[in-house]
mmCIF file of all heavy atoms in Angstrom:
data_model
loop_
_atom_site.group_PDB
_atom_site.id
_atom_site.type_symbol
_atom_site.label_atom_id
_atom_site.label_comp_id
_atom_site.label_asym_id
_atom_site.label_seq_id
_atom_site.Cartn_x
_atom_site.Cartn_y
_atom_site.Cartn_z
ATOM 1 N N PRO A 862 18.132 -33.380 -148.871
ATOM 2 C CA PRO A 862 17.861 -31.957 -149.091
ATOM 3 C C PRO A 862 18.290 -31.545 -150.489
ATOM 4 O O PRO A 862 19.145 -30.683 -150.662
ATOM 5 C CB PRO A 862 18.709 -31.272 -148.015
ATOM 6 C CG PRO A 862 19.854 -32.195 -147.808
ATOM 7 C CD PRO A 862 19.332 -33.592 -148.050
ATOM 8 N N MET A 863 17.728 -32.180 -151.487
ATOM 9 C CA MET A 863 18.179 -31.975 -152.849
ATOM 10 C C MET A 863 17.013 -32.107 -153.814
ATOM 11 O O MET A 863 16.687 -33.208 -154.261
ATOM 12 C CB MET A 863 19.249 -33.026 -153.157
ATOM 13 C CG MET A 863 20.141 -32.603 -154.275
ATOM 14 S SD MET A 863 21.501 -33.755 -154.334
ATOM 15 C CE MET A 863 22.417 -33.051 -155.659
ATOM 16 N N PRO A 864 16.358 -30.972 -154.098
ATOM 17 C CA PRO A 864 15.275 -31.053 -155.077
ATOM 18 C C PRO A 864 15.862 -31.331 -156.461
ATOM 19 O O PRO A 864 17.058 -31.146 -156.658
ATOM 20 C CB PRO A 864 14.650 -29.652 -155.012
ATOM 21 C CG PRO A 864 15.678 -28.772 -154.409
ATOM 22 C CD PRO A 864 16.669 -29.607 -153.665
ATOM 23 N N GLY A 865 15.045 -31.775 -157.378
ATOM 24 C CA GLY A 865 15.541 -31.984 -158.751
ATOM 25 C C GLY A 865 16.058 -33.380 -158.972
ATOM 26 O O GLY A 865 15.328 -34.358 -158.843
ATOM 27 N N THR A 866 17.363 -33.468 -159.282
ATOM 28 C CA THR A 866 17.945 -34.776 -159.604
ATOM 29 C C THR A 866 19.232 -34.981 -158.809
ATOM 30 O O THR A 866 19.697 -34.086 -158.116
ATOM 31 C CB THR A 866 18.291 -34.871 -161.103
ATOM 32 O OG1 THR A 866 19.194 -33.797 -161.415
ATOM 33 C CG2 THR A 866 17.061 -34.783 -161.969
ATOM 34 N N GLY A 867 19.803 -36.172 -158.937
ATOM 35 C CA GLY A 867 21.062 -36.486 -158.256
ATOM 36 C C GLY A 867 20.840 -36.835 -156.793
ATOM 37 O O GLY A 867 19.699 -36.947 -156.337
ATOM 38 N N THR A 868 21.935 -37.023 -156.062
ATOM 39 C CA THR A 868 21.810 -37.385 -154.645
ATOM 40 C C THR A 868 22.915 -36.744 -153.829
ATOM 41 O O THR A 868 23.764 -36.028 -154.366
ATOM 42 C CB THR A 868 21.788 -38.914 -154.456
ATOM 43 O OG1 THR A 868 21.544 -39.195 -153.070
ATOM 44 C CG2 THR A 868 23.124 -39.555 -154.850
ATOM 45 N N THR A 869 22.901 -37.000 -152.517
ATOM 46 C CA THR A 869 23.913 -36.397 -151.658
ATOM 47 C C THR A 869 24.129 -37.231 -150.384
ATOM 48 O O THR A 869 23.606 -38.330 -150.245
ATOM 49 C CB THR A 869 23.539 -34.925 -151.345
ATOM 50 O OG1 THR A 869 24.665 -34.256 -150.787
ATOM 51 C CG2 THR A 869 22.351 -34.837 -150.400
ATOM 52 N N HIS A 870 24.903 -36.668 -149.476
ATOM 53 C CA HIS A 870 25.304 -37.329 -148.233
ATOM 54 C C HIS A 870 25.380 -36.246 -147.164
ATOM 55 O O HIS A 870 25.064 -35.101 -147.440
ATOM 56 C CB HIS A 870 26.668 -38.013 -148.440
ATOM 57 C CG HIS A 870 27.669 -37.098 -149.087
ATOM 58 N ND1 HIS A 870 28.448 -36.208 -148.384
ATOM 59 C CD2 HIS A 870 27.973 -36.894 -150.403
ATOM 60 C CE1 HIS A 870 29.202 -35.527 -149.234
ATOM 61 N NE2 HIS A 870 28.938 -35.908 -150.474
ATOM 62 N N GLY A 871 25.802 -36.582 -145.978
ATOM 63 C CA GLY A 871 25.948 -35.547 -144.943
ATOM 64 C C GLY A 871 25.197 -35.826 -143.664
ATOM 65 O O GLY A 871 25.238 -35.022 -142.732
ATOM 66 N N THR A 872 24.499 -36.965 -143.599
ATOM 67 C CA THR A 872 23.682 -37.269 -142.414
ATOM 68 C C THR A 872 24.356 -38.336 -141.535
ATOM 69 O O THR A 872 25.351 -38.938 -141.952
ATOM 70 C CB THR A 872 22.306 -37.830 -142.838
ATOM 71 O OG1 THR A 872 22.483 -39.193 -143.271
ATOM 72 C CG2 THR A 872 21.689 -37.010 -143.953
ATOM 73 N N PRO A 873 23.811 -38.595 -140.342
ATOM 74 C CA PRO A 873 24.359 -39.688 -139.520
ATOM 75 C C PRO A 873 23.798 -41.060 -139.889
ATOM 76 O O PRO A 873 24.068 -42.036 -139.180
ATOM 77 C CB PRO A 873 23.939 -39.289 -138.101
ATOM 78 C CG PRO A 873 22.729 -38.448 -138.274
ATOM 79 C CD PRO A 873 22.826 -37.781 -139.618
ATOM 80 N N HIS A 874 23.015 -41.150 -140.968
ATOM 81 C CA HIS A 874 22.442 -42.444 -141.345
ATOM 82 C C HIS A 874 23.515 -43.357 -141.937
ATOM 83 O O HIS A 874 24.485 -42.887 -142.523
ATOM 84 C CB HIS A 874 21.268 -42.253 -142.304
ATOM 85 C CG HIS A 874 20.174 -41.420 -141.706
ATOM 86 N ND1 HIS A 874 19.630 -41.696 -140.462
ATOM 87 C CD2 HIS A 874 19.553 -40.299 -142.145
ATOM 88 C CE1 HIS A 874 18.704 -40.791 -140.178
ATOM 89 N NE2 HIS A 874 18.638 -39.922 -141.170
ATOM 90 N N SER A 875 23.296 -44.677 -141.803
ATOM 91 C CA SER A 875 24.393 -45.621 -142.057
ATOM 92 C C SER A 875 24.891 -45.600 -143.508
ATOM 93 O O SER A 875 26.062 -45.863 -143.759
ATOM 94 C CB SER A 875 23.998 -47.033 -141.639
ATOM 95 O OG SER A 875 22.928 -47.458 -142.426
ATOM 96 N N TYR A 876 23.999 -45.260 -144.470
ATOM 97 C CA TYR A 876 24.498 -45.203 -145.858
ATOM 98 C C TYR A 876 25.525 -44.088 -146.042
ATOM 99 O O TYR A 876 26.326 -44.121 -146.964
ATOM 100 C CB TYR A 876 23.342 -45.058 -146.864
ATOM 101 C CG TYR A 876 22.281 -44.036 -146.491
ATOM 102 C CD1 TYR A 876 22.525 -42.673 -146.584
ATOM 103 C CD2 TYR A 876 21.020 -44.445 -146.036
ATOM 104 C CE1 TYR A 876 21.554 -41.744 -146.241
ATOM 105 C CE2 TYR A 876 20.046 -43.522 -145.685
ATOM 106 C CZ TYR A 876 20.317 -42.171 -145.786
ATOM 107 O OH TYR A 876 19.360 -41.252 -145.437
ATOM 108 N N ASP A 877 25.484 -43.080 -145.163
ATOM 109 C CA ASP A 877 26.454 -41.982 -145.242
ATOM 110 C C ASP A 877 27.711 -42.233 -144.401
ATOM 111 O O ASP A 877 28.798 -41.745 -144.732
ATOM 112 C CB ASP A 877 25.823 -40.667 -144.770
ATOM 113 C CG ASP A 877 24.894 -40.040 -145.802
ATOM 114 O OD1 ASP A 877 24.977 -40.438 -146.983
ATOM 115 O OD2 ASP A 877 24.094 -39.162 -145.437
#
Side-chain angles (χ1 to χ4, degrees):
M863 202 170 181
T866 57
T868 185
T869 194
H870 48 85
T872 75
H874 301 309
S875 63
Y876 45 74
D877 283 343

